[in-house]
Short mmCIF file of all heavy atoms in Angstrom, two decimals:
data_model
loop_
_atom_site.label_atom_id
_atom_site.label_comp_id
_atom_site.label_asym_id
_atom_site.label_seq_id
_atom_site.Cartn_x
_atom_site.Cartn_y
_atom_site.Cartn_z
N MET A 1 165.99 -5.68 46.54
CA MET A 1 164.92 -6.54 46.98
C MET A 1 163.95 -6.71 45.81
O MET A 1 163.49 -5.75 45.23
CB MET A 1 164.22 -5.90 48.18
CG MET A 1 163.01 -6.66 48.63
SD MET A 1 162.28 -5.99 50.12
CE MET A 1 163.60 -6.21 51.25
N ASN A 2 163.64 -7.93 45.49
CA ASN A 2 162.77 -8.22 44.36
C ASN A 2 161.33 -8.49 44.78
O ASN A 2 160.44 -8.52 43.93
CB ASN A 2 163.30 -9.43 43.58
CG ASN A 2 164.64 -9.13 42.95
OD1 ASN A 2 164.92 -8.00 42.60
ND2 ASN A 2 165.47 -10.14 42.83
N ARG A 3 161.12 -8.71 46.04
CA ARG A 3 159.78 -9.04 46.52
C ARG A 3 158.93 -7.80 46.65
O ARG A 3 159.38 -6.77 47.14
CB ARG A 3 159.91 -9.72 47.87
CG ARG A 3 158.73 -10.58 48.22
CD ARG A 3 159.02 -11.37 49.43
NE ARG A 3 158.46 -10.61 50.55
CZ ARG A 3 158.61 -10.92 51.80
NH1 ARG A 3 159.36 -11.93 52.12
NH2 ARG A 3 158.07 -10.22 52.74
N LEU A 4 157.67 -7.91 46.22
CA LEU A 4 156.75 -6.78 46.35
C LEU A 4 156.18 -6.73 47.76
O LEU A 4 155.95 -7.77 48.39
CB LEU A 4 155.59 -6.93 45.37
CG LEU A 4 155.96 -6.86 43.90
CD1 LEU A 4 154.73 -7.11 43.05
CD2 LEU A 4 156.57 -5.52 43.57
N PRO A 5 155.93 -5.54 48.26
CA PRO A 5 155.30 -5.42 49.58
C PRO A 5 153.91 -6.06 49.58
O PRO A 5 153.16 -5.94 48.60
CB PRO A 5 155.19 -3.91 49.78
CG PRO A 5 156.24 -3.32 48.90
CD PRO A 5 156.30 -4.23 47.71
N ASP A 6 153.59 -6.76 50.65
CA ASP A 6 152.27 -7.37 50.83
C ASP A 6 151.46 -6.42 51.72
O ASP A 6 151.62 -6.42 52.94
CB ASP A 6 152.42 -8.74 51.46
CG ASP A 6 151.09 -9.46 51.63
OD1 ASP A 6 150.02 -8.80 51.68
OD2 ASP A 6 151.12 -10.70 51.72
N ILE A 7 150.61 -5.63 51.10
CA ILE A 7 149.87 -4.59 51.82
C ILE A 7 148.95 -5.19 52.88
O ILE A 7 148.88 -4.69 54.01
CB ILE A 7 149.07 -3.72 50.84
CG1 ILE A 7 150.03 -3.00 49.88
CG2 ILE A 7 148.22 -2.70 51.58
CD1 ILE A 7 149.33 -2.32 48.72
N ASP A 8 148.23 -6.26 52.53
CA ASP A 8 147.30 -6.86 53.49
C ASP A 8 148.03 -7.37 54.73
O ASP A 8 147.61 -7.12 55.86
CB ASP A 8 146.51 -7.99 52.84
CG ASP A 8 145.54 -7.51 51.78
OD1 ASP A 8 145.05 -6.36 51.90
OD2 ASP A 8 145.27 -8.26 50.84
N ALA A 9 149.14 -8.07 54.52
CA ALA A 9 149.90 -8.60 55.66
C ALA A 9 150.49 -7.46 56.48
O ALA A 9 150.50 -7.52 57.72
CB ALA A 9 151.02 -9.52 55.16
N PHE A 10 150.97 -6.42 55.80
CA PHE A 10 151.54 -5.26 56.50
C PHE A 10 150.49 -4.61 57.39
O PHE A 10 150.74 -4.37 58.58
CB PHE A 10 152.05 -4.25 55.46
CG PHE A 10 152.56 -2.97 56.06
CD1 PHE A 10 153.85 -2.87 56.52
CD2 PHE A 10 151.74 -1.86 56.14
CE1 PHE A 10 154.33 -1.68 57.06
CE2 PHE A 10 152.20 -0.66 56.67
CZ PHE A 10 153.50 -0.58 57.14
N GLU A 11 149.33 -4.32 56.83
CA GLU A 11 148.27 -3.64 57.60
C GLU A 11 147.79 -4.50 58.76
O GLU A 11 147.56 -3.99 59.86
CB GLU A 11 147.10 -3.28 56.68
CG GLU A 11 147.42 -2.19 55.68
CD GLU A 11 147.71 -0.84 56.33
OE1 GLU A 11 147.23 -0.58 57.44
OE2 GLU A 11 148.44 -0.05 55.71
N GLU A 12 147.63 -5.81 58.52
CA GLU A 12 147.16 -6.69 59.59
C GLU A 12 148.17 -6.78 60.73
O GLU A 12 147.82 -6.64 61.90
CB GLU A 12 146.88 -8.08 59.04
CG GLU A 12 146.34 -9.03 60.08
CD GLU A 12 145.98 -10.39 59.53
OE1 GLU A 12 146.27 -10.68 58.35
OE2 GLU A 12 145.40 -11.17 60.29
N ARG A 13 149.43 -6.98 60.39
CA ARG A 13 150.47 -7.09 61.42
C ARG A 13 150.60 -5.78 62.20
O ARG A 13 150.73 -5.78 63.42
CB ARG A 13 151.81 -7.48 60.82
CG ARG A 13 152.87 -7.70 61.88
CD ARG A 13 154.15 -8.19 61.27
NE ARG A 13 154.02 -9.55 60.78
CZ ARG A 13 154.46 -10.63 61.43
NH1 ARG A 13 155.06 -10.50 62.59
NH2 ARG A 13 154.32 -11.82 60.92
N ALA A 14 150.56 -4.66 61.49
CA ALA A 14 150.67 -3.36 62.15
C ALA A 14 149.49 -3.13 63.10
O ALA A 14 149.67 -2.64 64.22
CB ALA A 14 150.77 -2.24 61.12
N ALA A 15 148.29 -3.47 62.66
CA ALA A 15 147.10 -3.28 63.50
C ALA A 15 147.18 -4.13 64.76
O ALA A 15 146.88 -3.65 65.86
CB ALA A 15 145.85 -3.61 62.71
N ILE A 16 147.59 -5.38 64.61
CA ILE A 16 147.70 -6.27 65.77
C ILE A 16 148.75 -5.74 66.74
O ILE A 16 148.53 -5.69 67.96
CB ILE A 16 148.02 -7.71 65.33
CG1 ILE A 16 146.81 -8.30 64.61
CG2 ILE A 16 148.43 -8.57 66.52
CD1 ILE A 16 147.09 -9.61 63.89
N ALA A 17 149.90 -5.34 66.20
CA ALA A 17 150.97 -4.83 67.06
C ALA A 17 150.56 -3.55 67.78
O ALA A 17 150.92 -3.33 68.93
CB ALA A 17 152.24 -4.58 66.23
N GLU A 18 149.79 -2.72 67.08
CA GLU A 18 149.36 -1.46 67.69
C GLU A 18 148.30 -1.69 68.76
O GLU A 18 148.45 -1.22 69.90
CB GLU A 18 148.80 -0.54 66.60
CG GLU A 18 148.35 0.82 67.14
CD GLU A 18 147.82 1.75 66.06
OE1 GLU A 18 147.69 1.33 64.89
OE2 GLU A 18 147.53 2.91 66.41
N PHE A 19 147.26 -2.42 68.44
CA PHE A 19 146.14 -2.55 69.37
C PHE A 19 146.34 -3.63 70.43
O PHE A 19 146.01 -3.41 71.59
CB PHE A 19 144.84 -2.78 68.60
CG PHE A 19 144.46 -1.57 67.78
CD1 PHE A 19 144.63 -1.57 66.41
CD2 PHE A 19 143.98 -0.42 68.38
CE1 PHE A 19 144.32 -0.45 65.65
CE2 PHE A 19 143.66 0.70 67.65
CZ PHE A 19 143.83 0.68 66.27
N ASP A 20 146.89 -4.77 70.04
CA ASP A 20 147.11 -5.83 71.02
C ASP A 20 148.46 -5.71 71.70
O ASP A 20 148.61 -6.11 72.85
CB ASP A 20 147.00 -7.21 70.36
CG ASP A 20 145.59 -7.54 69.91
OD1 ASP A 20 144.64 -6.88 70.38
OD2 ASP A 20 145.43 -8.46 69.09
N GLY A 21 149.44 -5.16 70.98
CA GLY A 21 150.79 -5.06 71.52
C GLY A 21 151.10 -3.76 72.21
O GLY A 21 152.14 -3.61 72.84
N GLY A 22 150.20 -2.78 72.05
CA GLY A 22 150.39 -1.50 72.71
C GLY A 22 151.46 -0.61 72.09
O GLY A 22 151.90 0.35 72.73
N LEU A 23 151.87 -0.90 70.86
CA LEU A 23 152.87 -0.07 70.20
C LEU A 23 152.22 1.16 69.58
O LEU A 23 151.03 1.16 69.28
CB LEU A 23 153.58 -0.86 69.10
CG LEU A 23 154.34 -2.11 69.51
CD1 LEU A 23 154.95 -2.79 68.28
CD2 LEU A 23 155.42 -1.79 70.52
N SER A 24 153.01 2.19 69.37
CA SER A 24 152.50 3.34 68.62
C SER A 24 152.31 2.90 67.17
O SER A 24 152.85 1.86 66.74
CB SER A 24 153.51 4.50 68.67
OG SER A 24 154.66 4.17 67.91
N ARG A 25 151.57 3.65 66.39
CA ARG A 25 151.36 3.29 64.98
C ARG A 25 152.69 3.22 64.24
O ARG A 25 152.92 2.31 63.44
CB ARG A 25 150.40 4.29 64.31
CG ARG A 25 150.06 3.92 62.88
CD ARG A 25 149.31 2.62 62.84
NE ARG A 25 149.08 2.18 61.47
CZ ARG A 25 148.45 1.08 61.15
NH1 ARG A 25 147.97 0.29 62.09
NH2 ARG A 25 148.28 0.75 59.90
N GLU A 26 153.57 4.16 64.52
CA GLU A 26 154.88 4.19 63.86
C GLU A 26 155.70 2.94 64.21
O GLU A 26 156.30 2.32 63.34
CB GLU A 26 155.65 5.45 64.24
CG GLU A 26 155.04 6.73 63.70
CD GLU A 26 153.86 7.24 64.53
OE1 GLU A 26 153.63 6.77 65.67
OE2 GLU A 26 153.14 8.12 64.01
N GLU A 27 155.73 2.58 65.48
CA GLU A 27 156.46 1.38 65.91
C GLU A 27 155.85 0.13 65.29
O GLU A 27 156.58 -0.78 64.86
CB GLU A 27 156.44 1.26 67.43
CG GLU A 27 157.23 2.32 68.15
CD GLU A 27 156.98 2.30 69.65
OE1 GLU A 27 155.83 2.06 70.08
OE2 GLU A 27 157.95 2.56 70.39
N ALA A 28 154.53 0.08 65.25
CA ALA A 28 153.84 -1.08 64.69
C ALA A 28 154.13 -1.22 63.20
O ALA A 28 154.35 -2.33 62.70
CB ALA A 28 152.34 -0.96 64.93
N GLU A 29 154.15 -0.10 62.48
CA GLU A 29 154.46 -0.16 61.04
C GLU A 29 155.91 -0.53 60.81
O GLU A 29 156.22 -1.25 59.85
CB GLU A 29 154.12 1.17 60.37
CG GLU A 29 152.64 1.38 60.20
CD GLU A 29 152.28 2.60 59.38
OE1 GLU A 29 153.19 3.37 58.99
OE2 GLU A 29 151.09 2.79 59.12
N ASP A 30 156.83 -0.07 61.65
CA ASP A 30 158.22 -0.48 61.54
C ASP A 30 158.34 -2.00 61.73
O ASP A 30 159.04 -2.68 60.97
CB ASP A 30 159.10 0.23 62.57
CG ASP A 30 159.45 1.66 62.19
OD1 ASP A 30 159.33 2.02 60.99
OD2 ASP A 30 159.84 2.41 63.09
N LEU A 31 157.66 -2.53 62.72
CA LEU A 31 157.67 -3.97 62.97
C LEU A 31 157.12 -4.73 61.78
O LEU A 31 157.71 -5.72 61.33
CB LEU A 31 156.84 -4.27 64.23
CG LEU A 31 156.73 -5.74 64.62
CD1 LEU A 31 158.05 -6.21 65.19
CD2 LEU A 31 155.61 -5.92 65.62
N ALA A 32 155.99 -4.28 61.24
CA ALA A 32 155.38 -4.95 60.09
C ALA A 32 156.27 -4.88 58.86
O ALA A 32 156.37 -5.85 58.10
CB ALA A 32 154.02 -4.32 59.79
N ALA A 33 156.95 -3.77 58.67
CA ALA A 33 157.86 -3.63 57.53
C ALA A 33 159.05 -4.57 57.68
O ALA A 33 159.45 -5.24 56.72
CB ALA A 33 158.32 -2.18 57.41
N ARG A 34 159.62 -4.63 58.87
CA ARG A 34 160.76 -5.52 59.10
C ARG A 34 160.38 -6.98 58.91
O ARG A 34 161.19 -7.79 58.46
CB ARG A 34 161.36 -5.28 60.49
CG ARG A 34 162.15 -3.97 60.55
CD ARG A 34 162.99 -3.86 61.82
NE ARG A 34 162.20 -3.93 63.03
CZ ARG A 34 161.63 -2.88 63.63
NH1 ARG A 34 161.79 -1.67 63.13
NH2 ARG A 34 160.93 -3.03 64.73
N ALA A 35 159.14 -7.34 59.24
CA ALA A 35 158.67 -8.71 59.07
C ALA A 35 158.69 -9.12 57.59
O ALA A 35 158.78 -10.31 57.28
CB ALA A 35 157.27 -8.87 59.65
N GLN A 36 158.62 -8.13 56.70
CA GLN A 36 158.66 -8.42 55.26
C GLN A 36 160.05 -8.19 54.67
O GLN A 36 160.24 -8.28 53.47
CB GLN A 36 157.63 -7.56 54.52
CG GLN A 36 156.21 -7.95 54.81
CD GLN A 36 155.22 -7.28 53.90
OE1 GLN A 36 155.47 -7.06 52.73
NE2 GLN A 36 154.06 -6.94 54.46
N GLY A 37 161.02 -7.87 55.52
CA GLY A 37 162.38 -7.72 55.06
C GLY A 37 162.81 -6.30 54.73
O GLY A 37 163.89 -6.10 54.18
N TYR A 38 162.00 -5.32 55.08
CA TYR A 38 162.35 -3.92 54.84
C TYR A 38 163.00 -3.34 56.09
O TYR A 38 162.80 -3.84 57.19
CB TYR A 38 161.10 -3.12 54.44
CG TYR A 38 160.50 -3.67 53.17
CD1 TYR A 38 159.45 -4.58 53.21
CD2 TYR A 38 161.02 -3.33 51.93
CE1 TYR A 38 158.92 -5.12 52.05
CE2 TYR A 38 160.49 -3.86 50.77
CZ TYR A 38 159.45 -4.76 50.83
OH TYR A 38 158.94 -5.30 49.68
N ARG A 39 163.77 -2.26 55.90
CA ARG A 39 164.47 -1.65 57.04
C ARG A 39 163.50 -1.07 58.07
O ARG A 39 163.69 -1.21 59.27
CB ARG A 39 165.40 -0.53 56.56
CG ARG A 39 166.59 -1.00 55.77
CD ARG A 39 167.53 0.14 55.45
NE ARG A 39 166.88 1.23 54.73
CZ ARG A 39 166.79 1.33 53.42
NH1 ARG A 39 167.29 0.40 52.65
NH2 ARG A 39 166.19 2.37 52.86
N ASP A 40 162.48 -0.37 57.56
CA ASP A 40 161.49 0.28 58.42
C ASP A 40 160.30 0.66 57.56
O ASP A 40 160.26 0.34 56.37
CB ASP A 40 162.09 1.51 59.12
CG ASP A 40 162.68 2.52 58.15
OD1 ASP A 40 162.27 2.56 56.97
OD2 ASP A 40 163.56 3.30 58.57
N ARG A 41 159.33 1.35 58.16
CA ARG A 41 158.12 1.71 57.42
C ARG A 41 158.40 2.65 56.26
O ARG A 41 157.75 2.56 55.23
CB ARG A 41 157.07 2.33 58.37
CG ARG A 41 157.44 3.67 58.94
CD ARG A 41 156.45 4.11 60.02
NE ARG A 41 156.76 5.42 60.54
CZ ARG A 41 157.70 5.68 61.43
NH1 ARG A 41 158.44 4.68 61.90
NH2 ARG A 41 157.90 6.90 61.86
N HIS A 42 159.38 3.51 56.40
CA HIS A 42 159.72 4.44 55.32
C HIS A 42 160.22 3.67 54.09
O HIS A 42 159.84 3.97 52.96
CB HIS A 42 160.77 5.45 55.78
CG HIS A 42 160.32 6.28 56.94
ND1 HIS A 42 159.27 7.17 56.86
CD2 HIS A 42 160.76 6.34 58.22
CE1 HIS A 42 159.09 7.75 58.03
NE2 HIS A 42 159.99 7.26 58.88
N HIS A 43 161.08 2.70 54.33
CA HIS A 43 161.61 1.89 53.24
C HIS A 43 160.47 1.10 52.58
O HIS A 43 160.40 1.01 51.35
CB HIS A 43 162.69 0.95 53.78
CG HIS A 43 163.36 0.12 52.74
ND1 HIS A 43 163.69 -1.19 52.97
CD2 HIS A 43 163.76 0.40 51.47
CE1 HIS A 43 164.26 -1.68 51.88
NE2 HIS A 43 164.31 -0.73 50.96
N TYR A 44 159.59 0.52 53.38
CA TYR A 44 158.44 -0.22 52.86
C TYR A 44 157.60 0.64 51.92
O TYR A 44 157.32 0.26 50.79
CB TYR A 44 157.58 -0.72 54.03
CG TYR A 44 156.27 -1.33 53.61
CD1 TYR A 44 156.18 -2.67 53.30
CD2 TYR A 44 155.12 -0.55 53.52
CE1 TYR A 44 154.98 -3.24 52.91
CE2 TYR A 44 153.92 -1.11 53.14
CZ TYR A 44 153.85 -2.45 52.83
OH TYR A 44 152.66 -2.99 52.44
N TRP A 45 157.21 1.84 52.39
CA TRP A 45 156.36 2.72 51.58
C TRP A 45 157.10 3.22 50.35
O TRP A 45 156.50 3.42 49.29
CB TRP A 45 155.83 3.87 52.42
CG TRP A 45 154.82 3.44 53.43
CD1 TRP A 45 154.94 3.50 54.79
CD2 TRP A 45 153.53 2.85 53.18
NE1 TRP A 45 153.81 2.99 55.39
CE2 TRP A 45 152.94 2.58 54.43
CE3 TRP A 45 152.84 2.52 52.02
CZ2 TRP A 45 151.68 2.00 54.55
CZ3 TRP A 45 151.58 1.94 52.14
CH2 TRP A 45 151.01 1.68 53.39
N GLU A 46 158.41 3.43 50.47
CA GLU A 46 159.21 3.87 49.33
C GLU A 46 159.21 2.81 48.22
O GLU A 46 159.01 3.14 47.04
CB GLU A 46 160.63 4.14 49.80
CG GLU A 46 161.58 4.59 48.72
CD GLU A 46 162.98 4.79 49.29
OE1 GLU A 46 163.13 5.54 50.26
OE2 GLU A 46 163.91 4.15 48.75
N VAL A 47 159.42 1.56 48.61
CA VAL A 47 159.42 0.47 47.63
C VAL A 47 158.04 0.32 47.00
O VAL A 47 157.91 0.16 45.78
CB VAL A 47 159.88 -0.85 48.27
CG1 VAL A 47 159.67 -2.03 47.32
CG2 VAL A 47 161.34 -0.76 48.69
N LEU A 48 157.00 0.39 47.81
CA LEU A 48 155.64 0.27 47.29
C LEU A 48 155.31 1.41 46.33
O LEU A 48 154.77 1.19 45.24
CB LEU A 48 154.63 0.23 48.44
CG LEU A 48 153.18 0.05 48.04
CD1 LEU A 48 152.97 -1.24 47.26
CD2 LEU A 48 152.29 0.08 49.28
N ALA A 49 155.65 2.63 46.70
CA ALA A 49 155.38 3.79 45.83
C ALA A 49 156.15 3.67 44.52
O ALA A 49 155.60 3.94 43.44
CB ALA A 49 155.75 5.08 46.55
N ASP A 50 157.40 3.24 44.59
CA ASP A 50 158.20 3.06 43.38
C ASP A 50 157.56 2.03 42.46
O ASP A 50 157.50 2.22 41.24
CB ASP A 50 159.63 2.66 43.76
CG ASP A 50 160.53 2.57 42.56
OD1 ASP A 50 160.63 3.56 41.82
OD2 ASP A 50 161.13 1.49 42.35
N TYR A 51 157.09 0.93 43.04
CA TYR A 51 156.43 -0.10 42.25
C TYR A 51 155.18 0.45 41.55
O TYR A 51 154.96 0.22 40.36
CB TYR A 51 156.05 -1.29 43.13
CG TYR A 51 155.15 -2.26 42.41
CD1 TYR A 51 155.65 -3.09 41.42
CD2 TYR A 51 153.79 -2.33 42.72
CE1 TYR A 51 154.82 -3.97 40.74
CE2 TYR A 51 152.97 -3.20 42.05
CZ TYR A 51 153.47 -4.01 41.06
OH TYR A 51 152.63 -4.86 40.38
N VAL A 52 154.37 1.19 42.27
CA VAL A 52 153.13 1.74 41.71
C VAL A 52 153.47 2.70 40.56
O VAL A 52 152.86 2.65 39.49
CB VAL A 52 152.29 2.45 42.79
CG1 VAL A 52 151.15 3.23 42.17
CG2 VAL A 52 151.77 1.43 43.79
N ILE A 53 154.46 3.53 40.75
CA ILE A 53 154.86 4.50 39.71
C ILE A 53 155.39 3.77 38.48
O ILE A 53 155.01 4.09 37.35
CB ILE A 53 155.88 5.50 40.26
CG1 ILE A 53 155.19 6.43 41.27
CG2 ILE A 53 156.52 6.31 39.14
CD1 ILE A 53 156.14 7.26 42.09
N ARG A 54 156.26 2.79 38.69
CA ARG A 54 156.83 2.06 37.55
C ARG A 54 155.82 1.22 36.82
O ARG A 54 155.89 1.07 35.61
CB ARG A 54 157.98 1.18 38.02
CG ARG A 54 159.27 1.92 38.29
CD ARG A 54 160.44 1.01 38.61
NE ARG A 54 160.23 0.32 39.89
CZ ARG A 54 160.02 -0.99 40.03
NH1 ARG A 54 160.02 -1.78 38.99
NH2 ARG A 54 159.84 -1.53 41.21
N SER A 55 154.87 0.64 37.54
CA SER A 55 153.90 -0.25 36.90
C SER A 55 152.73 0.50 36.27
O SER A 55 152.00 -0.06 35.47
CB SER A 55 153.36 -1.26 37.91
OG SER A 55 152.52 -0.61 38.85
N GLY A 56 152.54 1.75 36.67
CA GLY A 56 151.43 2.53 36.14
C GLY A 56 150.09 2.13 36.74
O GLY A 56 149.04 2.51 36.25
N ARG A 57 150.14 1.39 37.85
CA ARG A 57 148.90 0.97 38.52
C ARG A 57 148.46 2.01 39.52
O ARG A 57 149.28 2.61 40.19
CB ARG A 57 149.10 -0.36 39.22
CG ARG A 57 149.39 -1.47 38.28
CD ARG A 57 149.55 -2.76 39.01
NE ARG A 57 149.94 -3.80 38.07
CZ ARG A 57 150.10 -5.05 38.39
NH1 ARG A 57 149.92 -5.43 39.64
NH2 ARG A 57 150.44 -5.93 37.50
N PRO A 58 147.14 2.18 39.66
CA PRO A 58 146.64 3.14 40.66
C PRO A 58 146.82 2.66 42.07
O PRO A 58 146.99 1.52 42.34
CB PRO A 58 145.16 3.27 40.32
CG PRO A 58 144.81 2.10 39.48
CD PRO A 58 146.10 1.57 38.89
#
């Protein structure tokens, strides 16, 4: 996957799914991650962490 995770979109979608949709935080994050093409929240955070480490950005 070449696309970088969109943190703002992820957080917004997860918050809406959690509070308006009644999902648990974990379920909401899985939904938000899948919306960006990731398998689940673990895959999303793994890709984001790898990007931060490789780019040297805080």
